Amino acid sequence: MPWISGNRYLTLAETYNNALIAPIMLGYGWSRTAVAACLGNMRAESGCNPGVWQYLQPFQGAYGLTQWDPYTKYSDWYGAGWEDNGPAECACINDESLNNRQWFYNSEFGMNPPITFQQYRVNDNLPLIDMSDYWMLFYEHPRDPWGEMDIRRQYTQDMWDRFLSPTTLPTWLLMKISKDNTGRWLKL
């Protein structure tokens, strides 16, 4: 499945196509609940589109799967070839999790994250709703978290039910993937 990317809004079918983010993040060692929460929030932020700019305005504000704001948080990290590059964006998110970047205090809620980003990425014990809320509150920091919480929870549940639940785990998750394209098989 190729990525669908560009500075446009994706259809729901295209958004689901880009759930191929899941095997990449699982390949990095993320838990299924963390990946579902990440995907649900990405759906709210960008429609899981690695090439979309905030308000479709290039080089002004946020960009990509998680709408890095400013976009240079991602583009400077990756360097040349950063645009429309879903695998690179996944690598950036993974690097952020390993180095506890982009996971910080939420002033709207007056809360520090109750777990580190490294703990979050491998957590399979917290309820899915909590994982969705943590991603929104401590990674995304949307302008209106109260107004977005319910839809992000719904999107997270949908991504879990559709792609990551043990009863619905699709066979495409068993495809060959790796962060360095060495051909290692994903182990679930």
Side-chain angles (χ1 to χ4, degrees):
M1 287 182 289
W3 285 88
I4 299 171
S5 181
N7 192 27
R8 64 182 181 84
Y9 302 115
L10 300 183
T11 66
L12 186 56
E14 291 171 325
T15 295
Y16 287 151
N17 177 82
N18 284 357
L20 55 88
I21 295 160
I24 294 172
M25 300 312 284
L26 291 168
Y28 285 132
W30 284 51
S31 72
R32 288 179 298 130
T33 53
V35 173
C38 177
L39 277 170
N41 277 276
M42 283 179 183
R43 182 173 165 193
E45 289 287 325
S46 68
C48 297
N49 183 348
V52 70
W53 290 90
Q54 185 177 25
Y55 309 119
L56 305 180
Q57 299 295 314
F59 302 99
Q60 298 177 24
Y63 176 82
L65 292 170
T66 61
Q67 292 292 284
W68 283 278
D69 190 8
Y71 72 93
T72 53
K73 286 182 181 181
Y74 160 65
S75 65
D76 288 353
W77 176 86
Y78 191 76
W82 61 270
E83 287 187 89
D84 292 305
N85 192 335
E89 293 182 36
C90 290
C92 183
I93 294 164
N94 188 60
D95 184 72
E96 290 170 338
S97 75
L98 294 173
N99 294 294
N100 213 39
R101 293 184 298 122
Q102 191 62 34
W103 190 257
F104 56 90
Y105 179 81
N106 186 295
S107 58
E108 177 79 19
F109 282 73
M111 290 176 58
N112 281 310
I115 58 177
T116 68
F117 206 174
Q118 290 179 358
Q119 292 168 326
Y120 176 89
R121 69 190 294 276
V122 297
N123 194 300
D124 257 333
N125 298 319
L126 289 171
L128 194 56
I129 286 175
D130 291 350
M131 294 293 280
S132 180
D133 291 351
Y134 287 0
W135 186 269
M136 180 191 68
L137 293 173
F138 306 116
Y139 183 90
E140 292 292 356
H141 297 265
R143 285 189 181 98
D144 181 17
W146 289 111
E148 295 188 28
M149 191 174 287
D150 286 341
I151 194 68
R152 289 172 185 256
R153 288 174 173 178
Q154 290 171 26
Y155 288 167
T156 295
Q157 188 66 55
D158 179 56
M159 292 299 192
W160 172 263
D161 293 343
R162 192 173 294 276
F163 300 110
L164 292 152
S165 161
T167 59
T168 60
L169 203 62
T171 56
W172 61 264
L173 282 179
L174 302 175
M175 68 184 178
K176 268 168 83 165
I177 62 116
S178 72
K179 64 180 177 183
D180 56 5
N181 295 320
T182 62
R184 293 178 287 150
W185 285 96
L186 173 65
K187 295 178 183 170
L188 299 176

